[in-house]
């Protein structure tokens, strides 16, 4: 049953650009737009910036290098270096799989958006977009002050779920082509009072290491939610290990009931995994303490936009370059396995890697500006994990260094589009020159 609801609500139209979502892509978009002189409002539904890297407790950055040079530069590298400077156990030159202290990272994003002059609105959820003539006229959000409308010249959707695209009635893709299946989710967590000596000197816990204890825990059936050996982990602080471990299948991040159920199950999974670690690795985890599970569910994929250009698997394999590319990407096609394949993995017949594709040293592909432009709308850009690409490619471009790069490009492009209110009306050579001047890696 539907009901009609109408109400006079205040309209705020004082900003040039509104960025929705304060994850890596949203922060980079807001910072770059503000540095280019636009007045920017950044709306974030939680109480902290950083998205999956902070509220999601993802414990490590995906590699910043192609093993010959840094590929993700500009604001991405700035965020990364600032976050790293807070980590006393990380070497200054480390570039790949660097751990994340989530509290330090929150402060890095806070400081960078404040320094750039961005206005941040926390605890505010965007719930609707009102469109006319292929343009977003205004968006509607809710917070403690009630229901409010916000209007700007250009909007940037960095919600990770392409919420503004869906709210604007535009088409999108969801999950794998054909099946619609999304990658499993993971609720990350942190364990403290870990014995660091044994952490460093025991077989590394990882699904690629079939002799490690995670396989014993998963096979034991004593911990019924620990059904697979996915177990990335990093030392994120003194005696404290962050875990990106375990899988929850069939979580639909666009369905709040599905996410709520997953959060309850995810907290149980983290507890069971911790109990298993205590039992199977008592020297390392015997005295340890489960200090936090992520407040935000770890969603790997959901909606992807139908954009002016869709990055394809073939583009990835051919290491393709584009005349309008705004950055490069070298991360492997990291698509987490479906529930059907779990049995093979847990039986040691596969580590899931047969579906992964990765590059040799020094290789990368381009990300065209057009993959950030949703079709059939003039004043909207998308950055982060929902840019236009095939599902397998999303397994690569979804990670944080890439999201920071697409965010910076979207923020800069939005500033250029403020005069015409149309993100297609910009000179992409000019965009690329500005990005290059601001440190981006553009060949
Ligand atoms: C379990 C897991 C492990 C991962 N591991 C790694 C890893 O090891 N290394 C790595 O680099 N990457 C990793 N990733 C990928 C990466 O963390 C995310 O894909 C990336 O953070 C996506 O960035 P984003 O800006 O697109 O979205 P997000 O980080 O999801 O941020 C979106 C933000 O928008 C806000 N938001 C959403 N909807 C609304 C709305 N309607 N109104 C207002 N605000 C809204 C959210 O609260 C959130 O803060 C992992 C992801 C997951 C889920």
């Amino acid at each position: 049953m539907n009901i009609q609801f109408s109400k006079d609500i205040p309209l705020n139209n004082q900003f040039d650009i509104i960025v929705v979502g304060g994850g890596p892509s949203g922060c980079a978009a807001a910072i770059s737009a503000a540095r280019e002189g636009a007045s920017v409002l950044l709306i974030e539904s939680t109480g902290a910036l950083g998205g999956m890297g902070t509220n999601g407790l993802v414990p490590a950055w995906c590699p910043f290098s192609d093993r010959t040079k840094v590929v993700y530069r500009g604001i991405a590298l700035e965020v990364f270096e600032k976050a790293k400077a807070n980590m006393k156990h990380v070497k200054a030159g480390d570039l790949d799989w660097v751990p994340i202290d989530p509290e330090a990272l929150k402060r890095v994003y806070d400081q960078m958006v404040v320094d750039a002059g961005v206005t941040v609105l926390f605890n505010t959820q965007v719930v609707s977009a009102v469109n006319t003539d292929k343009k977003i006229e205004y968006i509607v959000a809710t917070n403690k002050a009630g229901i409010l409308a916000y209007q700007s010249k250009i909007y940037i959707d960095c919600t990770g779920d392409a919420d503004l695209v869906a709210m604007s009635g535009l088409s999108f893709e969801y999950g794998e082509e054909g099946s619609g299946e999304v990658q499993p989710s993971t609720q990350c967590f942190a364990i403290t009072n870990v014995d660091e000596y044994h952490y460093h000197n025991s077989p590394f816990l990882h699904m690629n290491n079939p002799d490690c204890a995670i396989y014993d825990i998963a096979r034991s059936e004593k911990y019924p939610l620990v059904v697979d050996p996915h177990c990335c982990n990093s030392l994120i602080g003194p005696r404290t290990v962050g875990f990106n471990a375990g899988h929850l299948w069939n979580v639909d991040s666009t369905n709040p009931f599905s996410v709520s159920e997953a959060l309850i199950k995810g907290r149980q999974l983290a507890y069971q995994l911790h109990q298993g670690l205590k039992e199977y690795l008592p020297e390392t985890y015997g005295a340890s303490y489960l200090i936090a599970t992520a407040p935000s569910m770890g969603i790997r994929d959901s909606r992807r936009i139908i954009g002016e250009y869709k990055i394809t698997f073939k583009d990835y394999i051919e290491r393709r370059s584009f005349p309008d590319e705004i950055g490069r990407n070298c991360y492997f096609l990291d698509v987490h396995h479906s529930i059907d394949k779990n049995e093979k993995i847990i039986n040691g017949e596969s580590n899931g890697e047969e579906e992964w594709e990765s590059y040799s040293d020094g290789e990368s592909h381009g990300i065209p500006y057009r993959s950030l432009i949703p079709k059939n709308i003039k004043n909207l850009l998308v950055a982060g994990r929902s840019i236009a690409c095939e599902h397998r490619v999303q397994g690569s471009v979804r990670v944080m260094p890439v999201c920071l790069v697409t965010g910076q490009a979207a923020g800069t492009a939005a500033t250029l589009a403020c005069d015409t209110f149309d993100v297609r009306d910009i000179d992409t050579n000019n965009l690329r020159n500005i990005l290059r001047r601001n440190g981006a890696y553009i060949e």
Side-chain angles (χ1 to χ4, degrees):
M1 190 175 77
N2 289 338
I3 55 161
Q4 279 283 331
F5 175 78
S6 80
K7 191 177 186 304
D8 282 349
I9 57 173
L11 175 73
N12 179 324
N13 61 1
Q14 71 189 84
F15 297 96
D16 296 324
I17 294 169
I18 295 178
V19 180
V20 183
S25 62
C27 289
I31 293 164
S32 62
R35 285 182 182 173
E36 289 305 307
S39 60
V40 181
L41 176 67
L42 173 58
I43 302 181
E44 165 55 41
S45 58
T46 69
L49 300 175
M52 283 297 119
T54 57
N55 290 318
L57 286 183
V58 166
W61 297 100
C62 283
F64 264 70
S65 86
D66 62 9
R67 297 180 296 275
T68 65
K69 62 185 169 306
V70 176
V71 170
Y72 312 96
R73 304 185 193 169
I75 289 174
L77 190 57
E78 237 181 282
V79 171
F80 177 68
E81 292 295 351
K82 286 187 161 112
K84 211 165 65 170
N86 284 287
M87 314 273 300
K88 295 213 164 36
H89 62 293
V90 174
K91 291 192 211 81
D94 286 359
L95 289 171
D96 299 341
W97 298 112
V98 168
I100 296 172
D101 170 345
E103 284 306 314
L105 184 56
K106 284 178 198 170
R107 293 193 302 276
V108 167
Y109 283 124
D110 282 347
Q111 195 61 53
M112 285 178 74
V113 295
V114 168
D115 288 350
V118 174
T119 303
V120 183
L121 197 52
F122 281 128
N123 300 319
T124 301
Q125 176 100 20
V126 173
V127 293
S128 193
V130 174
N131 298 44
T132 51
D133 192 23
K134 296 198 172 175
K135 267 176 55 193
I136 296 184
E137 284 296 327
Y138 58 90
I139 57 175
V140 180
T142 63
N143 59 25
K144 268 285 188 191
I147 306 175
L148 309 122
Y150 298 90
Q151 185 171 53
S152 64
K153 296 170 184 166
I154 307 290
Y155 300 80
I156 309 178
D157 184 340
C158 294
T159 59
D161 292 321
D163 279 2
L164 276 190
V165 167
M167 288 167 190
S168 298
L170 303 171
S171 310
F172 52 81
E173 293 188 282
Y174 182 92
E176 190 184 38
E177 294 83 3
S179 72
E181 188 176 347
V182 289
Q183 293 183 60
S185 296
T186 296
Q187 191 166 7
C188 299
F189 55 93
I191 291 177
T192 195
N193 205 31
V194 172
D195 184 296
E196 279 192 38
Y197 175 82
H198 286 100
Y199 178 74
H200 289 304
N201 292 293
S202 311
F204 190 60
L205 279 181
H206 196 277
M207 71 182 283
N208 290 349
N209 178 7
D211 297 326
C212 76
I214 187 65
Y215 278 87
D216 301 327
I217 297 169
R219 286 175 188 143
S220 76
E221 296 182 6
K222 274 190 268 179
Y223 306 101
L225 291 173
V226 186
V227 295
D228 78 305
H230 167 55
C231 193
C232 298
N233 58 93
S234 300
L235 193 73
I236 60 171
R239 302 174 71 87
T240 306
V241 177
F243 281 85
N244 160 12
H247 280 135
L248 298 161
W249 283 272
N250 302 318
V251 181
D252 177 355
S253 74
T254 65
N255 175 346
F257 285 112
S258 172
V259 175
S260 302
E261 197 183 312
L263 284 164
I264 291 170
K265 203 169 166 186
R267 283 191 273 272
Q268 279 300 328
L269 196 167
Y271 174 75
Q272 291 183 12
L273 195 36
H274 180 225
Q275 294 302 307
L277 291 169
K278 281 168 88 122
E279 179 184 342
Y280 283 85
L281 293 171
E283 287 174 320
T284 314
Y285 294 100
S288 69
Y289 170 65
L290 174 61
I291 190 164
T293 52
S296 299
M297 175 46 66
I299 301 292
R300 292 193 170 80
D301 76 277
S302 64
R303 299 187 189 109
R304 299 187 307 285
I305 64 165
I306 311 283
E308 291 297 341
Y309 187 86
K310 185 198 276 194
I311 310 172
T312 62
F313 178 63
K314 190 163 180 274
D315 294 334
Y316 185 92
I317 294 300
E318 290 176 355
R319 285 83 169 146
R320 197 165 163 202
S321 298
F322 299 89
D324 63 335
E325 72 186 38
I326 48 77
R328 311 250 339 148
N329 170 43
C330 60
Y331 188 58
F332 68 99
L333 294 181
D334 182 1
V335 180
H336 285 234
H337 68 274
S338 67
I339 185 76
D340 305 344
K341 307 211 172 93
N342 197 43
E343 205 175 312
K344 265 178 128 185
I345 289 171
I346 201 70
N347 290 338
E349 292 159 25
S350 159
N351 61 8
E353 278 194 11
E354 67 269 21
E355 292 186 4
W356 298 357
E357 295 284 342
S358 53
Y359 286 163
S360 302
D361 296 2
E363 295 182 334
S364 59
H365 71 89
I367 305 170
Y369 172 58
R370 286 162 296 154
S371 63
L372 316 186
I373 307 178
K375 274 192 190 287
N376 295 318
I377 191 144
K378 292 178 181 165
N379 62 346
L380 178 61
L381 284 167
V382 172
R385 69 168 192 245
S386 6
I387 64 169
C389 57
E390 288 181 357
H391 187 247
R392 283 185 80 177
V393 177
Q394 197 271 356
S396 171
V397 299
R398 68 187 174 85
V399 298
M400 288 187 284
V402 196
C403 293
L404 285 159
V405 164
T406 56
Q408 179 172 4
T412 307
T415 314
L416 296 174
C418 274
D419 289 341
T420 62
F421 293 49
D422 191 337
V423 297
R424 285 166 192 74
D425 275 355
I426 67 164
D427 174 354
T428 49
N429 284 332
N430 186 25
L431 169 66
R432 282 156 49 82
N433 284 337
I434 297 171
L435 289 171
R436 202 180 277 119
R437 197 179 64 219
N438 291 332
Y441 172 51
I442 294 176
E443 282 178 331

